Amino acid sequence: MRDVYILGIGQTDVGEHWETSLRHLALEAVEAALKDANIKYPDAMYVGNMLAPQLSNQSHLGALIADFCGLRGIEAVTVEAGNASGAAALRQAYIAVASGLIDSAIALGVEKITDTVGSGVNAALATMTDSDWEASHGATPTTIAALIMRRYMHEYGVTLRDFAGFSVNAHANAKTNPKAMFRNVITPDAFAKAGMICDPINMFDSAPDADGAAAVILIGADTVRAHGADDVRAHGRAPVHPLVRIAGSAVVTDAMAVHDRPDPLIFKSAKESAEKAFAQAGIGVEDLNVIELHDAYTVFAALSLEALGVSERGKGWESAQNGGISLKGKTPISTFGGLKARGNPGGATGLYQVAEVAMQLRGEAGANQIANAKRGLTQSLASSGATAVTHILERVE
Amino acid sequence: MRDVYILGIGQTDVGEHWETSLRHLALEAVEAALKDANIKYPDAMYVGNMLAPQLSNQSHLGALIADFCGLRGIEAVTVEAGNASGAAALRQAYIAVASGLIDSAIALGVEKITDTVGSGVNAALATMTDSDWEASHGATPTTIAALIMRRYMHEYGVTLRDFAGFSVNAHANAKTNPKAMFRNVITPDAFAKAGMICDPINMFDSAPDADGAAAVILIGADTVRAHGADDVRAHGRAPVHPLVRIAGSAVVTDAMAVHDRPDPLIFKSAKESAEKAFAQAGIGVEDLNVIELHDAYTVFAALSLEALGVSERGKGWESAQNGGISLKGKTPISTFGGLKARGNPGGATGLYQVAEVAMQLRGEAGANQIANAKRGLTQSLASSGATAVTHILERVE
């Protein structure tokens, strides 16, 4: 098994791309990543997507997108794990390159949600829950999150307003992220007064469904070179950007239906996948300079911080209040806006997280830069933690 | 990179399982494979499926099926590549175990199609083609195959009846496969008179959509042991069945839309993925004792034989006539009935193929046994060859 580096990243703007098709979004991210990596083509493509079969009448995205991106012929498949599909695609790309079977791989996340009107999207999103035991009773990801949040508030004696800091921080950071969907600053008051979606989850508590694509190119550490005509080694050229190493990678599942979990206020898969990734990287949570977690709802941010060991059980919400999660805090999160304000393009989200942490570690985060960031963690969840995918990234000195 | 062995296989009956849900089909195959492998659990699961999001309102199958099979917590994701999803899942399992990151992995293919009535299935299947350029014009996998067959007949001056031998052979072999959907013998006359589906493809020319699940458990050659309480090494027990090695593995894509291919009568991805797999295994087509190819339509069997180098270009159909593809022929294919008579449960089919070749190499194929089979090839196609997945299996002496 060999070391694996991130050689290139690419992102489209996150938003409502009514005039751009699924494949065009993918192309834009792939082209950006290839340019960033300074290579002609990768040897394999792993496409993370969750809703194209239902919302775009398009499956078999591996071959389709490889073909449309001018990469006809390369190995390509779709990887799906609900909202964590993009992160799961990176995991497959990582394993493939680490194995030595594949020299370079592109993990692409792409999602197109906003062409479809409300109930169609909810029905599609509900297929990510347990169809027989959750969706068939009317549950959707948001209604399940609302139950979890209500239970959290009850158990720990906190109010909706106590979660405001997560969204305030996310919007503050998105302000200077040109790719972000919502670049407006919000206040705790605005948060508290936002329209209710599914009590106690309101508009400012919940991440917006969005369209977008993000791509990350991996390469074996021993083969840091370009392909095709531009062989870095032959030409004596170095990669364009500082290199980032995948130091840890893990996927862990949990009970699919939240009611099957012994304690719905523990994100067990998040905890265990983080532990595995930390063990592989040989570091602990205290060594991290930046965390991109799955803040699809503020209570998920709180529970993720608890799962990661940043906060004690029942204390995750306090992180939203003491400034610890801001760009200058001890544990910065959602540094480009997170799911809440950068936007949540489903199966692409996990790769936005990775691209963002890579920018932090490269020192290319601009106004959002964490000073001297050396190590970061990304964590992507699906179905309230039925799947958790964690990666630890490290700057190559 | 280490050698990878097949330790266990499991299959459900192929057919119309109206009283068994998707997850129950999966459970039956997983339990059978775990029993066959004599282990308690695998470390990771790769689920191949193509239609559950559309036909069963269920995505996120990795976590769902791991949970339902009593494997809650293990790494699990869905891998999709149209009809080649099961084979693509095996490819990911192979890479994961070969890398050393995963000790043992189960590749599961599961599909449930027949609960849905005709046009719904066709609409779902059409999402596997190019939605913008094929499906939107009314094309489905079968109409595209019909165009290819018509062109083949025109170019090479053959008739529908010339393809009969493929289906006759498939049904003859399925007769003694207790898992097969159609165990009736058919004659060339019956083939020629069968009702037309999409001219020139008729009922006996086309593989039936079916429900089913198949699973294959892989393990690192250096860690051939059971997990949990039953450590083979600790107990000094050998695996229950003869071991089979994955000697070659490759995924190659092609133009998604058939009209974008320079020559629609060449399965380029099938040819190239076979060449890659042969190169890895260090063998040629002449070294194979058994081939399971993607005979979704008889013309696909002909084109696959041409792609594999068994037949010259335009001569694949002759193999259906000279007995070469029968159990006692030089190049046996569809030895348990193939897609045509065993049945074609979409994303599960690729793993039925692998399980069947493993049975041949183990010497456990009963009435369908190829004498002294040492090496076999499986090839699974999606969207008329937009994706081809090839594996070469070898008996471990």
Side-chain angles (χ1 to χ4, degrees):
Chain A
M1 218 188 80
R2 58 179 174 179
D3 267 0
V4 176
Y5 291 165
I6 293 177
L7 193 66
I9 57 175
Q11 310 170 55
T12 72
D13 291 350
V14 178
E16 298 186 345
H17 290 286
W18 296 348
E19 292 172 358
T20 311
S21 74
L22 185 80
R23 65 186 76 182
H24 280 91
L25 284 174
L27 174 63
E28 188 183 330
V30 168
E31 282 190 332
L34 287 171
K35 188 178 172 198
D36 189 71
N38 195 28
I39 65 171
K40 295 275 188 193
Y41 59 88
D43 297 320
M45 175 183 276
Y46 297 88
V47 180
N49 169 269
M50 63 173 199
L51 294 176
Q54 296 106 306
L55 299 187
S56 303
N57 294 314
Q58 185 67 67
S59 305
H60 200 180
L61 292 183
L64 178 94
I65 290 175
D67 187 14
F68 192 71
C69 292
L71 303 172
R72 186 183 292 178
I74 66 167
E75 174 163 4
V77 296
T78 308
V79 181
E80 190 266 316
N83 256 295
S85 295
L90 184 75
R91 167 73 173 161
Q92 300 316 308
Y94 167 72
I95 294 173
V97 175
S99 77
L101 282 161
I102 302 287
D103 263 351
S104 63
I106 186 164
L108 166 74
V110 59
E111 203 73 60
K112 189 134 174 60
I113 302 178
T114 72
D115 286 356
T116 309
V117 288
S119 63
V121 172
N122 280 333
L125 287 170
T127 67
M128 305 294 154
T129 69
D130 188 318
S131 173
D132 290 0
W133 296 97
E134 292 181 323
S136 65
H137 299 281
T140 67
T142 300
T143 66
I144 293 169
L147 292 170
I148 292 172
M149 188 169 181
R150 178 62 73 196
R151 177 67 170 261
Y152 191 101
M153 290 160 69
H154 172 77
E155 292 285 338
Y156 304 131
V158 293
T159 65
L160 171 61
R161 202 183 175 100
D162 291 322
F163 293 90
F166 288 117
S167 290
V168 170
N169 173 66
H171 279 258
N173 293 343
K175 187 167 186 281
T176 44
N177 174 10
K179 306 289 187 195
M181 186 166 184
F182 293 141
R183 274 166 274 171
N184 60 315
V185 171
I186 65 168
T187 63
D189 274 349
F191 176 89
K193 288 177 191 161
M196 198 55 74
I197 295 173
C198 183
D199 195 358
I201 290 176
N202 71 24
M203 288 284 280
F204 282 0
D205 191 89
S206 168
D209 294 332
D211 310 327
V216 171
I217 294 176
L218 302 183
I219 195 158
D222 54 339
T223 55
V224 175
R225 59 180 174 78
H227 292 249
D230 289 324
D231 192 304
V232 168
R233 195 182 285 157
H235 294 264
R237 288 196 290 139
V240 178
H241 299 274
L243 291 164
V244 171
R245 190 171 78 92
I246 308 267
S249 170
V251 175
V252 171
T253 57
D254 194 359
M256 184 71 168
V258 174
H259 59 246
D260 280 341
R261 301 181 195 163
D263 187 335
L265 293 187
I266 294 179
F267 275 173
K268 190 160 177 275
S269 62
K271 182 172 186 289
E272 291 180 1
S273 69
E275 285 167 356
K276 280 192 178 184
F278 282 133
Q280 186 185 353
I283 64 164
V285 68
E286 65 282 1
D287 298 310
L288 298 174
N289 305 111
V290 51
I291 293 174
E292 292 298 329
L293 47 72
H294 196 80
D295 59 334
Y297 309 96
T298 55
V299 70
F300 280 20
L303 289 172
S304 294
L305 288 172
E306 295 173 21
L308 289 167
V310 173
S311 306
E312 285 176 39
R313 177 157 191 195
K315 304 283 186 189
W317 62 277
E318 290 181 2
S319 302
Q321 305 201 311
N322 59 21
I325 59 171
S326 73
L327 290 181
K328 300 201 170 170
K330 193 181 164 205
T331 315
I333 69 169
S334 308
T335 66
F336 284 86
L339 278 65
K340 175 65 197 78
R342 175 239 295 127
N344 180 17
T349 295
L351 287 163
Y352 276 95
Q353 294 178 312
V354 172
E356 289 161 355
V357 169
M359 287 166 72
Q360 291 288 3
L361 304 183
R362 286 172 167 189
E364 297 174 355
N368 298 58
Q369 185 66 49
I370 308 289
N372 197 28
K374 287 187 179 175
R375 294 190 192 87
L377 177 145
T378 62
Q379 188 170 71
S380 200
L381 307 181
S383 304
S384 308
T387 297
V389 185
T390 304
H391 283 96
I392 292 172
L393 312 184
E394 197 170 58
R395 192 168 77 199
V396 176
E397 302 290 351
Chain B
M1 217 187 81
R2 58 179 175 180
D3 268 0
V4 176
Y5 290 164
I6 293 176
L7 193 66
I9 57 175
Q11 309 170 54
T12 71
D13 291 351
V14 179
E16 299 185 343
H17 289 287
W18 298 347
E19 291 172 359
T20 310
S21 74
L22 185 79
R23 65 186 76 185
H24 281 91
L25 285 173
L27 173 64
E28 188 182 331
V30 168
E31 281 189 333
L34 287 171
K35 187 179 175 195
D36 189 71
N38 195 28
I39 66 170
K40 296 273 187 193
Y41 60 87
D43 297 320
M45 175 181 277
Y46 297 89
V47 180
N49 170 269
M50 64 173 198
L51 294 177
Q54 295 106 304
L55 299 187
S56 303
N57 294 314
Q58 185 68 67
S59 304
H60 200 181
L61 292 182
L64 179 94
I65 289 174
D67 186 15
F68 193 70
C69 292
L71 302 172
R72 185 182 293 179
I74 67 165
E75 175 163 4
V77 295
T78 307
V79 181
E80 189 267 317
N83 257 294
S85 296
L90 185 76
R91 168 71 175 160
Q92 299 316 310
Y94 167 71
I95 294 173
V97 175
S99 77
L101 281 161
I102 301 287
D103 264 350
S104 63
I106 186 163
L108 166 74
V110 59
E111 203 72 60
K112 187 134 175 62
I113 302 178
T114 72
D115 286 356
T116 309
V117 288
S119 62
V121 171
N122 280 333
L125 287 170
T127 68
M128 306 293 154
T129 69
D130 188 317
S131 173
D132 290 1
W133 296 96
E134 292 181 323
S136 64
H137 299 280
T140 67
T142 299
T143 67
I144 293 169
L147 291 170
I148 292 173
M149 189 169 181
R150 179 62 72 194
R151 177 69 170 260
Y152 190 101
M153 290 161 67
H154 172 77
E155 292 285 339
Y156 304 131
V158 294
T159 64
L160 172 62
R161 203 184 174 98
D162 291 323
F163 293 90
F166 288 117
S167 291
V168 169
N169 172 65
H171 279 259
N173 293 343
K175 185 167 188 282
T176 43
N177 174 10
K179 306 287 187 196
M181 186 166 184
F182 294 139
R183 273 166 277 173
N184 59 314
V185 171
I186 66 169
T187 64
D189 275 349
F191 175 88
K193 288 178 194 162
M196 198 55 75
I197 295 174
C198 181
D199 195 358
I201 289 176
N202 71 23
M203 287 285 280
F204 282 0
D205 192 89
S206 169
D209 296 331
D211 310 326
V216 172
I217 293 176
L218 302 184
I219 195 159
D222 54 338
T223 54
V224 176
R225 58 179 175 80
H227 292 250
D230 289 326
D231 190 305
V232 169
R233 194 181 285 155
H235 293 265
R237 287 195 290 140
V240 178
H241 299 274
L243 291 164
V244 172
R245 190 170 79 92
I246 308 268
S249 170
V251 175
V252 170
T253 58
D254 194 357
M256 184 71 168
V258 174
H259 58 247
D260 280 340
R261 300 180 196 164
D263 188 335
L265 293 187
I266 294 179
F267 275 173
K268 190 160 177 274
S269 62
K271 182 172 184 289
E272 292 181 0
S273 69
E275 284 167 356
K276 280 193 178 184
F278 282 134
Q280 186 186 353
I283 65 164
V285 68
E286 66 280 3
D287 298 309
L288 298 174
N289 305 110
V290 53
I291 293 174
E292 292 299 331
L293 48 73
H294 196 80
D295 59 334
Y297 309 97
T298 55
V299 70
F300 280 20
L303 288 172
S304 295
L305 288 172
E306 295 172 22
L308 289 167
V310 172
S311 305
E312 283 176 41
R313 177 156 192 195
K315 304 284 186 190
W317 62 277
E318 289 182 1
S319 302
Q321 305 201 315
N322 60 20
I325 58 170
S326 73
L327 291 181
K328 298 199 171 170
K330 195 183 162 206
T331 313
I333 69 168
S334 308
T335 65
F336 284 87
L339 278 64
K340 175 63 198 83
R342 174 240 295 127
N344 180 15
T349 295
L351 287 162
Y352 275 95
Q353 293 178 311
V354 172
E356 288 160 357
V357 169
M359 287 166 73
Q360 291 288 3
L361 304 183
R362 284 172 169 188
E364 298 174 354
N368 298 55
Q369 185 66 49
I370 309 289
N372 196 27
K374 286 188 180 174
R375 294 190 192 87
L377 176 145
T378 62
Q379 187 170 72
S380 199
L381 306 182
S383 305
S384 307
T387 297
V389 185
T390 304
H391 283 95
I392 292 173
L393 312 184
E394 196 171 58
R395 194 168 76 197
V396 176
E397 301 290 350

